[in-house]
């Protein structure tokens, strides 16, 4: 989506819940808007924000990320590599896409393919469990890393 439009809609989302688009919040949202397919760690966000706003502290970044996550504006992702990452919630549906994680360089890719609804139906057909969501991560080697060492 176009950056300006997206920012407007995010601003509305904040307003709806009674929050203002402060300078810090805008600075952090700008980082997400500039990396719309990114999966960013708090440190990466902090580094980008600091270029434009040298006064911002890491604690503020953490606090803002927490708030944006609570408001469902961003998603927190856990890739079992010890650092949490965030991405913009641009989907209108509840279900977020799945991820491919390169075990060599740590790059995260998105998979749009989702054939798991059928699996959910199969599981539910047994009648013991009602599924509301699923979360899948695939680990492997990205193209670059395959060319390097595999
Ligand atoms: Zn890689
Ligand atoms: Zn993602
Ligand atoms: Zn899925």
């Amino acid at each position: 989506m176009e950056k300006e439009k997206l920012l407007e809609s995010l601003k509305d989302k904040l307003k709806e819940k009674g929050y203002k688009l402060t300078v810090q919040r805008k600075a952090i949202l700008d980082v997400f808007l500039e990396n719309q397919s990114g999966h960013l760690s708090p440190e990466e966000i902090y580094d980008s924000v600091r270029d434009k706003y040298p006064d911002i502290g890491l604690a503020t970044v953490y606090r803002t990320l927490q708030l944006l996550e609570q408001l469902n504006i961003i998603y927190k992702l856990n890739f079992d590599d010890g650092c949490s990452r965030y991405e913009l919630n641009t989907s209108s549906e509840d279900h977020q896409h799945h991820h491919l994680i390169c075990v060599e360089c740590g790059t995260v890719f998105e998979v749009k393919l989702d054939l798991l609804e059928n699996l959910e139906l199969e599981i539910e057909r047994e009648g013991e469990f009602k599924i509301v969501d699923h979360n899948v991560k695939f680990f492997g080697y990205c193209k670059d890393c395959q060319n390097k060492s595999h």
Side-chain angles (χ1 to χ4, degrees):
M1 216 196 283
E2 204 188 306
K3 254 181 8 188
E4 299 297 311
K5 256 194 220 155
L6 202 52
L7 184 64
E8 275 308 306
S9 77
L10 295 175
K11 202 171 152 184
D12 288 345
K13 254 195 205 175
L14 279 169
K15 215 162 99 189
E16 243 169 55
K17 311 249 163 90
Y19 292 92
K20 285 204 181 102
L21 186 67
T22 59
V23 174
Q24 288 104 321
R25 286 171 195 158
K26 178 163 187 314
I28 288 169
L29 285 174
D30 275 341
V31 177
F32 283 104
L33 292 172
E34 277 153 28
N35 301 279
Q36 279 185 44
S37 57
H39 301 83
L40 307 165
S41 70
E43 290 75 19
E44 284 171 325
I45 295 162
Y46 176 56
D47 281 342
S48 311
V49 168
R50 238 182 359 172
D51 288 344
K52 279 191 222 159
Y53 305 90
D55 293 340
I56 207 162
L58 186 58
T60 307
V61 172
Y62 274 113
R63 225 180 314 120
T64 307
L65 289 173
Q66 238 167 41
L67 174 74
L68 294 173
E69 189 203 349
Q70 273 168 27
L71 299 178
N72 252 329
I73 289 174
I74 56 173
Y75 271 111
K76 187 179 190 172
L77 305 157
N78 188 345
F79 293 125
D80 306 326
D81 59 357
C83 83
S84 51
R85 282 180 247 204
Y86 292 88
E87 70 181 353
L88 204 55
N89 174 11
T90 49
S91 69
S92 44
E93 304 137 48
D94 288 339
H95 186 55
Q96 192 76 339
H97 53 258
H98 300 300
H99 292 103
L100 310 173
I101 300 126
C102 179
V103 294
E104 188 81 29
C105 67
T107 307
V108 178
F109 304 88
E110 307 196 331
V111 225
K112 300 281 179 247
L113 216 72
D114 197 335
L115 306 171
L116 293 166
E117 275 80 11
N118 283 333
L119 181 61
E120 288 191 355
L121 287 176
E122 283 302 313
I123 294 169
E124 288 190 343
R125 197 163 293 156
E126 308 205 340
E128 311 245 320
F129 201 84
K130 169 91 189 97
I131 295 168
V132 291
D133 197 8
H134 60 252
N135 182 353
V136 187
K137 295 171 247 182
F138 300 92
F139 297 92
Y141 296 95
C142 74
K143 232 182 188 166
D144 284 350
C145 292
Q146 284 176 49
N147 293 337
K148 256 182 268 160
S149 52
H150 296 271

